[in-house]
Amino acid sequence: MERKTLLTHCTDAPGLISKITNICYKHQLNIIHNNEFVDNTSGHFFMRTELEGYFNDTTLLADLNNALPSGAKHKLIDSARKRIVILVTKEAHCLGDILMKTYDGSLDVEIAAVVGNYDKLQNLTEKFEIPYHHVSHEGLNRQEHEQKMLEAIEPYHPDFLVLAKYMRVLTPGFVEQFHHKIINIHHSFLPAFIGAKPYQQAYERGVKIIGATAHFVTNDLDEGPIIKQDVIPVDHTFSAQDMAQAGRDVEKNVLSKALNKVINDHVFVYGNKTVIL
C-alpha cells in the first residue's frame, strides 16, 4: 500500500472533479484528502488529491490525460521525504529554525547539506550532524563561485534549494538549473522595498508594519512567485536596526511555513503566482 499526491491543473470545464475522482475509483485508489480551486479570472482549475492504494502510474496518468481538457498538467508525487540543500551567508536565525524544526520533527524534510560562502555557520550546522561546505566567493567572479557551489550541491541531488539569508544574487544560468526549485526568504513585504537594505527603506518611509516574503527565485530580482507572507506591527519608535531585529522572527517563521507547504506538495506555480491547496 502506497500514498501519493496527485496534482492537476487545466482549463476549467464542467465535471472535472467527477472525472478525476472516478478515474481514481477505477484504479481502486482511496482518496484521503481532496482540495480544488477555480480561478474565475483566468478560467483555470486546480486540484490536489491525496491517494492511497496500489498504483500503476503510467495507466493512471494516461487515463487522466484522455479525460481532461487539452493541455492539462498533472503529476503524481510519492510520499518520500524531500531532500534540501540550504544556502547561507552569515545570519543564523533562519538556518537555526529549520535545523531545530527538522530535529524535532515539526518539519518533515531531509537536510542533505548546508553550503555557505562563509564558515561562520559551520559549527551550528555540524551540531546537527549535517555536512557543511564552505565555498568562499573571495577572489572569484560570480560565475566561478557559482560553479564551485554547484560542485558542492550536485552530489546531494536535492529536490529544493533553500536560501536561508543567502545574501548573493544568483545568475540566470544557476537559476535555470533549478527552475521553481529555489526558495528564498526576503526581509520585507514584497513587492515593497525590494533589493538592498529593505529595513532602512521601510524606516525612511515610516511604515507601520514590517514583514517577510518567501518566494520562488526567478531571474527577476525578488519578483518570483510568492509562497508565504506575514507581517508584524511597528511604530515611530523603531529605528531601522530595531525593525531588522524584530523582523528576524517573522522571517524564520515565514520561511519554514513556506518550506512546509512546498515539501508537502501543496503549491502550484501558475504564471508568476502560486495557488496553495
Side-chain angles (χ1 to χ4, degrees), residues 25-264:
Y25 176 73
K26 171 187 170 183
H27 284 258
Q28 298 183 325
L29 300 172
N30 186 32
I31 295 176
I32 305 299
H33 193 79
N34 193 73
N35 289 96
E36 65 280 335
F37 169 73
V38 175
D39 183 340
N40 290 316
T41 301
S42 64
H44 211 76
F45 170 85
F46 302 84
M47 183 160 154
R48 177 183 184 274
T49 311
E50 294 181 22
L51 298 166
E52 183 180 63
Y54 298 99
F55 291 81
N56 184 322
D57 294 17
T58 302
T59 305
L60 174 61
L61 294 175
D63 285 349
L64 288 166
N65 196 50
N66 290 332
L68 297 177
S70 176
K73 306 291 185 183
H74 43 258
K75 60 181 176 179
L76 196 59
I77 306 167
D78 65 36
S79 57
R81 296 172 78 208
K82 303 296 191 299
R83 289 167 58 85
I84 64 172
V85 169
I86 304 175
L87 274 56
V88 297
T89 296
K90 292 182 178 179
E91 296 185 63
H93 57 287
C94 287
L95 172 63
D97 188 61
I98 295 173
L99 290 170
M100 279 301 304
K101 286 178 178 173
T102 303
Y103 177 78
D104 69 17
S106 55
L107 192 58
D108 188 21
V109 69
E110 177 186 351
I111 304 174
V114 177
V115 181
N117 58 318
Y118 293 92
D119 63 2
K120 183 175 180 181
L121 300 179
Q122 183 165 352
N123 287 339
L124 170 61
T125 301
E126 291 178 348
K127 288 180 187 297
F128 291 83
E129 300 182 347
I130 292 169
Y132 187 94
H133 297 268
H134 174 213
V135 182
S136 176
H137 62 281
E138 294 180 3
L140 303 175
N141 64 37
R142 196 170 297 276
Q143 288 75 19
E144 290 170 339
H145 180 244
E146 288 187 349
Q147 181 57 40
K148 290 187 175 296
M149 295 284 288
L150 286 171
E151 290 170 5
I153 293 167
E154 286 175 348
Y156 294 103
H157 305 290
D159 297 295
F160 297 95
L161 300 183
V162 179
L163 309 188
K165 304 296 291 182
Y166 181 68
M167 306 304 290
R168 288 175 64 82
V169 177
L170 299 171
T171 65
F174 188 100
V175 172
E176 286 171 5
Q177 297 193 51
F178 301 95
H179 182 62
H180 290 158
K181 299 293 186 183
I182 307 175
I183 304 164
N184 184 43
I185 184 66
H186 192 277
H187 39 301
S188 75
F189 196 66
L190 295 177
F193 311 129
I194 65 173
K197 299 183 178 179
Y199 288 118
Q200 183 65 37
Q201 296 180 54
Y203 169 73
E204 291 171 356
R205 187 63 181 83
V207 302
K208 304 308 178 194
I209 58 172
I210 57 173
T213 300
H215 64 98
F216 289 112
V217 174
T218 66
N219 291 325
D220 297 316
L221 180 64
D222 297 334
E223 295 185 14
I226 292 170
I227 307 165
K228 179 69 178 177
Q229 294 179 295
D230 203 358
V231 295
I232 56 175
V234 295
D235 60 33
H236 62 278
T237 66
F238 281 67
S239 67
Q241 184 176 358
D242 293 334
M243 289 184 182
Q245 184 172 349
R248 291 191 182 101
D249 281 343
V250 71
E251 288 170 15
K252 68 183 184 182
N253 288 334
V254 167
L255 180 58
S256 64
K257 288 177 181 178
L259 179 57
N260 194 52
K261 290 294 185 184
V262 170
I263 63 175
N264 287 295

